[in-house]
Amino acid sequence: MTVARIAAERKLNRLKSDVPMNHLDIVCYGENGRYSIATQNLNGCHAVAIISRKAAILAHIAPSAPVQWLQAFPSGDSWSQHMMNRILQCFLANKIHFENQDAGGIIIFGSWDGAMALPDQVRILAYNVKEIMNLDTRAVPYKVYTEDDTRDNEANKGAVLVQGIAAGQLPILWLEEHQIPLDDKAPPSMPSTITASSSK
């Protein structure tokens, strides 16, 4: 389980940060002994991971702005774009760790009753990574659970771990109990190709 892996990375002092909702961070593998970065309890939120052989940026993005930001960002779409602007700033400030390092973007989105939750927001995230940041981009779903759902892995409500190995080597990306391939040469699964009509 990814939650257990995050705990193990923390115990070994390899975890740079467990990113809270509406925040982002970057880990440069091996810097200050830190190799990994994580976020938990997505359960309806999005995550964006920008991953290379030297570093990873991870963001946890809520479907709407916090109360104190609602006047500036009244729609979920505007908040998604605001968070992408912050990710872009971090990416550009640390571009040396991503240029010529097999960098790519992973958009992690909720699947609600078998369909993409909040598809317009997912498309905004994917557009920014693919078109603005000019990175190969994939979209990967996780299940959004409701109060009526029963599940074996109660602790997994959308846990993500970028588990770095060494500088110069692609990390391992975990989503819930699944390892997400980072060197998959198959065509990326972009939001525009996914049937989605419902939202949370």
Side-chain angles (χ1 to χ4, degrees), residues 93-136:
N94 296 277
K95 201 166 184 180
I96 190 173
H97 298 300
F98 295 94
E99 284 186 321
N100 304 313
Q101 294 296 327
D102 294 329
I106 306 289
I107 311 300
I108 297 170
F109 65 92
S111 175
W112 184 266
D113 290 335
M116 180 188 292
L118 305 167
D120 289 344
Q121 293 182 21
V122 177
R123 290 189 180 97
I124 288 169
L125 304 179
Y127 173 83
N128 278 269
V129 175
K130 183 174 178 14
E131 303 297 335
I132 305 301
M133 301 171 72
N134 197 30
L135 297 175
D136 289 338

Side-chain angles (χ1 to χ4, degrees), residues 137-166:
T137 309
R138 299 174 58 206
V140 181
Y142 71 94
K143 182 177 180 180
V144 177
Y145 290 94
T146 69
E147 293 180 357
D148 297 329
D149 285 323
T150 58
R151 51 189 162 174
D152 295 330
N153 297 328
E154 179 63 27
N156 274 4
K157 299 179 180 179
V160 180
L161 171 65
V162 181
Q163 187 176 23
I165 301 168

Side-chain angles (χ1 to χ4, degrees), residues 11-23:
K11 186 174 182 180
L12 292 170
N13 291 320
R14 288 171 44 91
L15 187 68
K16 167 74 182 302
S17 62
D18 191 345
V19 180
M21 183 188 300
N22 292 324
H23 287 75

Side-chain angles (χ1 to χ4, degrees), residues 10-61:
R10 182 180 288 110
K11 186 174 182 180
L12 292 170
N13 291 320
R14 288 171 44 91
L15 187 68
K16 167 74 182 302
S17 62
D18 191 345
V19 180
M21 183 188 300
N22 292 324
H23 287 75
L24 62 94
D25 201 356
I26 181 172
V27 61
C28 300
Y29 314 133
E31 187 174 279
N32 298 320
R34 302 298 194 263
Y35 288 85
S36 301
I37 191 168
T39 193
Q40 301 185 66
N41 297 315
L42 290 176
N43 210 35
C45 296
H46 317 294
V48 175
I50 309 299
I51 295 172
S52 79
R53 294 183 178 274
K54 287 189 174 182
I57 299 168
L58 184 62
H60 182 148
I61 305 173

